Amino acid sequence: MTTVADRSSATTKAATRSKPKRDLKLKRAGVDAEAGPQSAAAPSPFPPIEDYAFLSNCHTGALVAPDGSVDWLCVPRFDSPSIFGSLLDRGAGNFRFGPYGIHHPVARQYEPGSHVLTTTWRTPTGWLQVRDALTIYPRHEEDRSTPHTRPPVDEDADHLLVRTAVCIGGRVEVELVCEPVLDYGREPASWQLLGEDLKIAQASGPDFQMRLASDMKLGVEGDRVRGRHVLGEGEGAFCVLSWREDGYTPPDLTEATARLDATGHFWRQWLANARIPDHRWREMLQRSALTVKGLTYMPTGATVAALTTSLPETPGGERNWDYRYTWIRDTTFTLQALHWLNMDWEADEFMQFVADLEPAEDGSLQIMYGIDGRRDLPESTLDHLTGYAGAAPVRVGNGAYDQKQNDVYGAVLDSILMHTRRSQRLPRRLWPIVQSQAECASRIWRNPDQGIWEARGEPKHYVSSKLMCWVALDRASQLAEVRGDPKLAAQWHDTAEEIREDILAHGVTANGVLRQHYDTDSLDASTLLAAMFGFLPPTDERLRATVEAIADDLTEAGFVLRYRTDETDDGMSGKEGTFLICSFWLVSGLAVIGDIQHARDLMEKLLRVASPLGLYAEEFDTETGRHLGNFPQAFSHLALIEAAGRIILDEMVREIS
């Protein structure tokens, strides 16, 4: 999914900036510019990506560093400009609430079944426990901050970041430091205290206003607000950041705690509806389900690919992209995971979002859209930011939105079939999409494209793109049967068979392995989709040869690469980490061909490299054990659910056979 489309002139300029300017950025980020290729574990003021905690209210999300600092928050929605951006530049704003002078907690965990974070601290004089959440609360009025196109629900985003601290032993001095820098670190906020009790401060900026409230006395120091207070055993304090239109903030610790409790209750009630088996992997399945739901934009039903932009795939490198959008190819994996978890309401919300999308002029859907359905996602670079640990440029927008990728048709139609299979009813508003996508796939499947990984090089006849065109026509044929149109069903079935014959004639090496594209014998992890979408039967020797070749020759320490960068013209420099989604795909591929023990072994290995809080980025660096790329990554968690489901189903079948 890495976007390497032809970029705007601003992007090209950023990628070729002068060495002195690049070295200055690295120095600002605390990285030695003369040390050669950067290690993912190089000393840096930036916390490891995997050490961040993820909070969500299904409108936006926050990342909380181990020291209690909110280093990433965009309001009011996922793709808004950041107000706290020290994830990408240590001077781009943060919000810390914790013990004064102590930066390493003794424990961090989510409250069971929720996105409420609890952090426990030990200081020289006592113990402190902090709770954090982007709160969700019963809602009765219309939400003007983030208007809904889907039916409103009983509980929705509160547009509050609520933080409480309780001294559970001894005495602890608590510190609050709130220093937002608006518009991706461009515009410091202007603060003023409201009232005479010094407990509410208001920040203003261009077209933006928010409030910070606490039961601690606050003081304004330039562009930031600070507060300090000593808590004795059993005493508590709170602070709340509000970007609500009405400026509401909880008046006291009791109300702040009630909103945290209600948020935990919301998440546990939601999870109670999920079909998660009593299995040793249950906890990881629950956390993946919560993560996917947390990356869902409730007003429209869209799911962002990740919370962040520009976390690097190569340490200190240029493979940095904005993932705060919805990729259409994710639809089939999203629908598959949601239906497997019995989350049919969320699946329908997402399907309705797809049905609302505006197609391109030729009738096809774009490869990605904004979470509000917008088509134009112009890309630019933020050259004033250092980037995470010196990885520049920092990008906003995504220049690949108008790229042609022939796999998108299969993703859409597989999703629609999956969504209608249980009811055997095809909603009237979806049939035009079936027709248009099937016609597009029939028209273009012979053409080369940029492939699933959006390579910048010359278009090629990528096998995975042809394969997904086969999926498109195969699923369209089945949907036509549901619709009651046997003539169209036969026509689309014949085209699907024509595509299959072309792939098997030109897309298989002399060793019986599916190629990356027709002009090479190189491997590509995307050909694992042949197993997952049923292109070949599990007993087919070509399928087995492909899965085994990837397991043997396209891995590092057992983890799967997308492809070998020295064998693929992707238009970028630098080595990539292993891709977690591809590793989970290999688990699924091994399960499909019946190599269950190998699949189980790899699954256990993948589960052991989850972050301390059970989260996954896009990539995994096998040399250092660090996560790379945007975080948390929906695709990684979706692939985990799919892979685990295949193994669990096999175990259940074996139990009753």
Side-chain angles (χ1 to χ4, degrees):
M1 194 171 70
T2 303
T3 55
V4 286
D6 290 335
R7 305 289 170 179
S8 64
S9 60
T11 303
T12 304
K13 180 180 178 181
T16 58
R17 63 187 57 183
S18 66
K19 187 175 185 299
K21 188 179 291 187
R22 170 68 171 159
D23 289 353
L24 177 60
K25 279 187 172 286
L26 289 169
K27 185 176 181 181
R28 286 174 59 199
V31 177
D32 183 359
E34 303 300 326
Q38 185 177 322
S39 167
S44 168
F46 292 81
I49 291 170
E50 66 273 12
D51 282 356
Y52 278 100
F54 168 51
L55 308 180
S56 174
N57 62 7
C58 295
H59 288 232
T60 189
L63 292 182
V64 186
D67 68 353
S69 171
V70 176
D71 283 358
W72 184 252
L73 176 62
C74 303
V75 297
R77 37 189 258 182
F78 292 109
D79 58 353
S80 299
S82 65
I83 61 172
F84 303 124
S86 59
L87 177 74
L88 298 176
D89 188 304
R90 302 316 279 171
N94 73 302
F95 177 17
R96 184 175 189 269
F97 187 57
Y100 178 74
I102 303 294
H103 300 281
H104 301 283
V106 296
R108 298 170 83 215
Q109 60 188 21
Y110 287 114
E111 294 181 5
S114 81
H115 281 294
V116 179
L117 178 70
T118 299
T119 305
T120 304
W121 305 82
R122 181 180 182 275
T123 76
T125 58
W127 292 77
L128 185 74
Q129 195 165 80
V130 174
R131 298 174 74 201
D132 295 319
L134 290 165
T135 52
I136 296 175
Y137 206 66
R139 198 173 185 93
H140 306 290
E141 71 282 1
E142 181 183 355
D143 188 346
R144 291 186 172 85
S145 297
T146 45
H148 286 57
T149 57
R150 302 277 79 79
V153 292
D154 297 332
E155 297 165 297
D156 205 343
D158 220 2
H159 303 304
L160 301 173
L161 172 60
V162 179
R163 318 187 74 179
T164 65
V166 176
C167 179
I168 58 175
R171 57 191 298 275
V172 178
E173 185 174 23
V174 177
E175 175 190 50
L176 180 161
V177 180
C178 185
E179 188 175 8
V181 188
L182 312 179
D183 194 19
Y184 298 112
R186 290 190 182 101
E187 189 72 31
S190 176
W191 288 98
Q192 63 174 338
L193 292 170
L194 304 181
E196 298 180 357
D197 61 358
L198 306 180
K199 293 183 178 179
I200 298 180
Q202 183 165 290
S204 301
D207 302 317
F208 183 77
Q209 188 169 285
M210 64 183 176
R211 287 186 179 180
L212 175 68
S214 178
D215 52 3
M216 301 164 57
K217 291 187 182 297
L218 304 175
V220 176
E221 298 177 343
D223 301 329
R224 68 178 182 171
V225 172
R226 292 188 70 207
R228 289 170 66 180
H229 181 60
V230 176
L231 297 177
E233 185 169 345
E235 294 180 337
F238 82 98
C239 62
V240 175
L241 191 69
S242 170
W243 50 95
R244 295 168 58 118
E245 279 199 345
D246 60 10
Y248 172 82
T249 55
D252 51 38
L253 177 61
T254 299
E255 175 66 16
T257 301
R259 294 199 174 239
L260 289 173
D261 292 343
T263 301
H265 177 75
F266 166 84
W267 286 112
R268 283 186 288 274
Q269 284 293 104
W270 178 83
L271 196 60
N273 295 320
R275 178 178 55 200
I276 299 179
D278 183 21
H279 190 272
R280 63 188 180 280
W281 297 337
R282 183 172 189 167
E283 183 178 352
M284 290 303 298
L285 284 167
Q286 289 183 165
R287 182 49 52 190
S288 289
L290 287 164
T291 301
V292 173
K293 174 68 172 176
L295 292 170
T296 299
Y297 184 59
M298 195 180 293
T300 66
T303 300
V304 292
L307 181 66
T308 57
T309 179
S310 300
L311 288 180
E313 298 172 11
T314 302
E318 62 179 341
R319 296 174 183 264
N320 319 314
W321 318 108
D322 192 346
Y323 275 12
R324 297 171 299 157
Y325 307 109
T326 294
W327 266 257
I328 293 302
R329 77 164 56 93
D330 291 9
T331 57
T332 186
F333 299 100
T334 302
L335 268 293
Q336 186 178 55
L338 290 174
H339 282 305
W340 191 83
L341 294 168
N342 205 36
M343 296 298 184
D344 292 345
W345 178 269
E346 282 75 14
D348 186 66
E349 295 273 279
F350 190 69
M351 201 70 257
Q352 298 309 317
F353 168 77
V354 173
D356 287 341
L357 294 174
E358 180 184 352
E361 292 181 2
D362 64 356
S364 64
L365 293 179
Q366 292 182 174
I367 66 169
M368 73 180 84
Y369 288 83
I371 56 175
D372 55 0
R374 72 187 188 280
R375 291 177 55 188
D376 295 332
L377 307 173
E379 183 175 304
S380 61
T381 61
L382 304 180
D383 296 339
H384 63 285
L385 299 178
T386 66
Y388 176 87
V394 172
R395 294 182 171 95
V396 293
N398 200 304
Y401 72 91
D402 59 354
Q403 202 180 62
K404 290 298 182 184
Q405 295 170 25
N406 296 344
D407 68 295
V408 67
Y409 313 106
V412 173
L413 295 181
D414 187 74
S415 299
I416 294 176
L417 178 62
M418 192 181 309
H419 191 59
T420 60
R421 184 172 282 146
R422 185 177 299 178
S423 67
Q424 287 295 295
R425 293 180 183 273
L426 179 63
R428 180 182 178 88
R429 69 194 306 249
L430 294 181
W431 178 242
I433 298 177
V434 174
Q435 291 179 296
S436 64
Q437 302 312 292
E439 290 167 2
C440 286
S442 298
R443 187 169 60 249
I444 58 82
W445 72 265
R446 295 180 180 84
N447 300 336
D449 73 335
Q450 307 304 135
I452 189 174
W453 308 125
E454 299 156 14
R456 182 186 288 185
E458 288 296 316
K460 302 289 185 182
H461 291 280
Y462 286 98
V463 167
S464 62
S465 296
K466 309 285 187 190
L467 189 154
M468 292 305 292
C469 285
W470 170 84
V471 171
L473 274 302
D474 178 79
R475 277 35 171 191
S477 175
Q478 296 181 56
L479 287 163
E481 292 284 1
V482 173
R483 176 76 174 181
D485 193 331
K487 183 177 179 181
L488 261 183
Q491 175 186 323
W492 288 338
H493 173 76
D494 290 345
T495 305
E497 288 306 303
E498 186 179 354
I499 298 171
R500 186 205 299 271
E501 291 172 5
D502 190 78
I503 293 172
L504 296 180
H506 303 102
V508 181
T509 71
N511 294 325
V513 174
L514 290 172
R515 303 180 155 101
Q516 181 186 56
H517 59 77
Y518 285 4
D519 299 323
T520 183
D521 281 352
S522 295
L523 295 171
D524 193 305
S526 64
T527 58
L528 289 167
L529 298 175
M532 298 166 63
F533 285 103
F535 177 72
L536 292 170
T539 55
D540 192 290
E541 285 303 315
R542 290 163 295 191
L543 184 64
R544 173 173 290 277
T546 300
V547 173
E548 291 179 346
I550 290 172
D552 294 340
D553 301 322
L554 197 60
T555 56
E556 289 184 355
F559 298 94
V560 182
L561 298 162
R562 292 189 305 173
Y563 47 74
R564 298 286 179 185
T565 54
D566 59 348
E567 297 177 354
T568 301
D569 179 18
D570 65 7
M572 303 299 292
S573 62
K575 180 180 178 294
E576 294 182 333
T578 62
F579 268 64
L580 289 162
I581 183 175
C582 298
S583 298
F584 284 117
W585 283 355
L586 179 56
V587 173
S588 294
L590 290 166
V592 167
I593 66 172
D595 195 350
I596 292 296
Q597 189 57 54
H598 190 175
R600 189 181 292 114
D601 291 346
L602 179 55
M603 188 72 185
E604 294 283 1
K605 189 172 187 176
L606 284 162
L607 295 179
R608 286 196 296 273
V609 303
S611 83
L613 290 169
L615 304 174
Y616 291 88
E618 183 175 33
E619 299 182 28
F620 181 71
D621 185 77
T622 58
E623 293 182 0
T624 62
R626 292 288 177 86
H627 287 224
L628 296 168
N630 286 307
F631 179 84
Q633 180 85 1
F635 226 161
S636 298
H637 288 275
L638 291 167
L640 182 156
I641 293 169
E642 202 268 348
R646 289 184 183 273
I647 295 175
I648 292 171
L649 180 61
D650 179 83
E651 291 178 355
M652 288 180 172
V653 169
R654 290 172 186 268
E655 284 180 5
I656 62 176
S657 62

